[in-house]
Amino acid sequence: MSASRRSGTTDELGPDEPGPDGPEGSGGSDLLAALLDGMDAALCAFDADGVVTHWNREAERILGWTAEEAVGRHGFAGWAVRSADAEEVEGRLMSAMRAPGRQVHEFALLTKDGGRVLVRTQSAAVRGPDGKPAGVYCAFSEVHAQIDLERSIALSEALFEDASWGVVLVDVDLRPAVVNAHAARALGVGRTSVLGRPLGELLAQGVEELESALTHVLAEGAPPAPAEIWVSVRTPEGEKRRCWRSGFLRLASPLAEEPVPLGVGWLFQDVTEAKQGEQEAALLRFRGNQLHRAARAAAECEDPAEAATVHLDFALAGFADHALIDRVAGGALSDAESAGPVRLVRVAGTPSGAPGPSLLAGQAGLPVRYGEGHPALQCVERIGTVRASVGSVPPEQARAWALARQWPPDAVHALCAVLRSRGRTLGVVTFLRGSGRGAFERSDTVYAEDVAVRIAAALDLVGQLEGRPD
C-alpha cells in the first residue's frame, strides 16, 4: 500500500470502482501516490467519518506504521494515539472541517514500537465537488525538526536584517545575489543596486584577492579559518582602504541528489581600526628595538663619526631607501645665525647604486650645491623637520626633480630632520624613499627626529675631538 488506497483517492470513485485509466486507477492515483511519498513532511488524510485514507512514507518513517497498517483505520485511537488522548486529538483534527484556513496543533503520537513522538500538525478541510467538507488532511512533523526549521528561517532573516556584520550571498558567477543592510553600507551602495553587479564595480582594489577566495570556496569548500582581506571602497570622499575579516561558506542545494553549488555565503566584519592599531604597535616596537640596537652598536665605536653612520644604517631598515648627513659649514650655528644664508657639507651617505652601509665623505669640506629653497636648507632655517614629495608626475619629471636637489635619481619622497645639540644647529639628516614606498607621515617624523638626536650627539663629539670652536 502506498500513500493512498491503490484503488483511488477519496473522490467520486468508490473503493472498488475502476478508474479512467484502468481497474487499478494507475494514472492519477499513482501520480498522487508518488507526489505524496516524495514529500518531506508526513501527511495523512481522513474522510468525513474520520477514516484514514492516505498515509505517506514520511509518516511511516516518523511513526513506524506502514500505509497498509494505517489506511482504513478509524482515527488514531488505540494505535497512533493513547486511548485516553484519542477523543481530544480526533476532535482537534476533525474540527478543521468546520474552520476556515489551516489549524496548527501540537500533541504526542505513538510509534509502532510503543514510543511517543511530539509532533506539530497543520490540518485543513478537504472540499468535495459540491464545496462541502469531505474530509481533512493533516501534515505533521516532529516538533524538534520543525523548531530547527523555524530557527534556520529566523536566523536567515536576522542575518539579512539585523546582523552587525556584512552578509553577502554570491552566486556561481561571483555576483552578489542577496546583501544585508550592513554589507550595503560597507560597500557604499544600496541593497538593490548592488545585486547582479560584478565585484570589480563595487571595489577599487582587492577584487582579485576576493574573487580568488570565492572561487576557491566554490571548488574546495569553506576555509578552516577567517581571512583578512584589504580592499579599497569607492566613496564620495574618494577611495578608502578597509580591512575585512571574512568567512566563507559554500552553499549547496538541499534538493539535489548530489551537492550542486548555489554560490558562496560571505560574512565579513570591518577590522580596519584594529589592524591599523596592530600594525602601528608592531612598527613602534620594531623602531624602538632599532634605536636600542643602534645605541649599543654606536657605543662600541671609537670614532664618533662612525657612530653617526651606525645610527643612520640602523634607521634605514624598513624606513627609507637612502639617507644623507649634511653638516653646517664652519661649525654649529646658534638660533640667530640659522636665519641667515647657510652652506652644508656632506658628511656621510648611503651608496646611490647598490645597497650598502653608509660611507663617510666630505674630507675636502666642499659645500653641497643645494639651490635656494632646498628642503635641507629650509630645515636649518626653520630649525624643524621638513617633508617633500614629487607628487604624481611622469618618471622623467620625478628623476629630474631628484637630481635637481642633489639626491639619488630614484628618490620621490624626502624627510629632512635638523641635527641639534647643546642648543645649536649642527646640520641636517635627510631620509629618502623611492616610488615603491609611500610618502613620509607624521609618525615617520617622530622616528626621524629620534634618530637625528643621536646623530647630532655623535657629530657634536666629532667637533669637540677635532678642536673646533663648537
Side-chain angles (χ1 to χ4, degrees):
M1 188 76 68
S2 66
S4 65
R5 299 174 181 173
R6 285 298 184 184
S7 58
T9 59
T10 54
D11 51 18
E12 293 86 352
L13 297 178
D16 297 321
E17 296 180 59
D21 296 318
E24 291 298 320
S26 58
S29 178
D30 285 352
L31 175 59
L32 176 61
L35 291 173
L36 296 180
D37 283 342
M39 293 176 60
D40 291 331
L43 184 137
C44 64
F46 304 88
D47 62 16
D49 297 325
V51 176
V52 178
T53 61
H54 296 76
W55 190 266
N56 73 348
R57 289 180 180 172
E58 184 64 12
E60 178 181 342
R61 185 195 67 80
I62 294 176
L63 298 180
W65 299 98
T66 65
E68 289 86 349
E69 295 169 317
V71 173
R73 289 178 179 264
H74 189 282
F76 285 155
W79 63 285
V81 174
R82 292 191 312 171
S83 300
D85 300 331
E87 184 177 353
E88 178 188 359
V89 171
E90 185 174 348
R92 291 165 72 179
L93 288 177
M94 300 307 294
S95 66
M97 291 180 58
R98 301 177 299 276
R102 292 178 297 175
Q103 291 189 331
V104 178
H105 301 287
E106 288 185 6
F107 45 73
L109 296 181
L110 294 178
T111 63
K112 187 175 181 179
D113 59 6
R116 300 184 70 193
V117 178
L118 184 63
V119 299
R120 178 174 297 176
T121 66
Q122 292 188 34
S123 55
V126 177
R127 304 288 173 179
D130 56 359
K132 296 181 180 180
V136 174
Y137 83 83
C138 172
F140 62 93
S141 60
E142 297 175 83
V143 167
H144 71 82
Q146 182 72 19
I147 292 176
D148 288 344
L149 175 61
E150 293 178 2
R151 284 173 179 160
S152 297
I153 295 173
L155 174 61
S156 176
E157 293 180 350
L159 285 175
F160 287 104
E161 295 297 335
D162 306 322
S164 59
W165 56 85
V167 181
V168 181
L169 298 189
V170 182
D171 62 23
V172 292
D173 295 324
L174 305 186
R175 295 173 183 249
V178 185
V179 178
N180 76 340
H182 187 97
R185 289 193 299 269
L187 293 167
V189 292
R191 292 184 64 178
T192 55
S193 61
V194 69
L195 303 182
R197 294 173 59 184
L199 295 173
E201 295 182 5
L202 305 174
L203 301 174
Q205 294 180 10
V207 178
E208 295 81 3
E209 185 178 0
L210 178 57
E211 289 184 341
S212 176
L214 294 171
T215 302
H216 173 81
V217 173
L218 282 172
E220 304 293 338
E228 292 175 351
I229 300 177
W230 284 91
V231 300
S232 290
V233 182
R234 297 185 180 94
T235 67
E237 296 78 22
E239 295 182 3
K240 289 187 176 181
R241 189 160 172 78
R242 313 301 296 171
C243 181
W244 290 342
R245 181 170 292 151
S246 303
F248 302 94
L249 298 170
R250 181 168 61 179
L251 306 179
S253 173
L255 304 179
E257 294 184 3
E258 296 183 0
V260 177
L262 295 178
V264 177
W266 170 33
L267 294 81
F268 67 89
Q269 191 174 26
D270 194 318
V271 294
T272 307
E273 286 72 17
K275 291 300 296 182
Q276 288 176 342
E278 292 176 5
Q279 292 175 351
E280 291 173 1
L283 184 60
L284 287 175
R285 286 195 301 270
F286 174 76
R287 289 179 175 177
N289 289 335
Q290 287 297 99
L291 291 173
H292 174 73
R293 294 171 60 197
R296 295 191 61 179
E300 302 300 324
C301 297
E302 296 183 4
D303 183 359
E306 182 184 355
T309 63
V310 167
H311 284 292
L312 197 65
D313 291 335
F314 273 94
L316 279 176
F319 182 69
D321 298 312
H322 305 285
L324 308 170
I325 298 177
D326 298 323
R327 184 167 186 165
V328 175
L333 300 176
S334 65
D335 292 350
E337 295 171 328
S338 299
V342 176
R343 295 185 303 168
L344 297 174
V345 176
R346 180 67 42 80
V347 174
T350 54
S352 59
S358 302
L359 303 175
L360 293 171
Q363 285 80 4
L366 298 176
V368 185
R369 294 180 298 105
Y370 286 153
E372 184 178 354
H374 191 282
L377 298 178
Q378 294 181 30
C379 180
V380 174
E381 294 170 0
R382 300 176 184 177
I383 315 179
T385 304
V386 174
R387 289 181 289 171
S389 182
V390 67
S392 299
V393 298
E396 296 78 10
Q397 295 185 23
R399 180 183 177 88
W401 178 84
L403 294 176
R405 287 158 179 76
Q406 309 301 313
W407 291 334
D410 59 339
V412 295
H413 307 294
L415 190 155
C416 299
V418 65
L419 301 177
R420 297 276 293 178
S421 178
R422 293 190 291 163
R424 298 160 307 149
T425 300
L426 277 64
V428 178
V429 57
T430 302
F431 295 99
L432 302 168
R433 289 178 176 176
S435 57
R437 298 177 184 265
F440 289 100
E441 300 177 354
R442 291 190 178 273
S443 59
D444 299 322
T445 299
V446 174
Y447 181 59
E449 291 172 348
D450 285 343
V451 176
V453 168
R454 290 161 170 78
I455 294 176
L459 292 184
D460 195 6
L461 182 57
V462 170
Q464 294 184 51
L465 295 177
E466 290 178 352
R468 294 180 182 175
D470 292 350

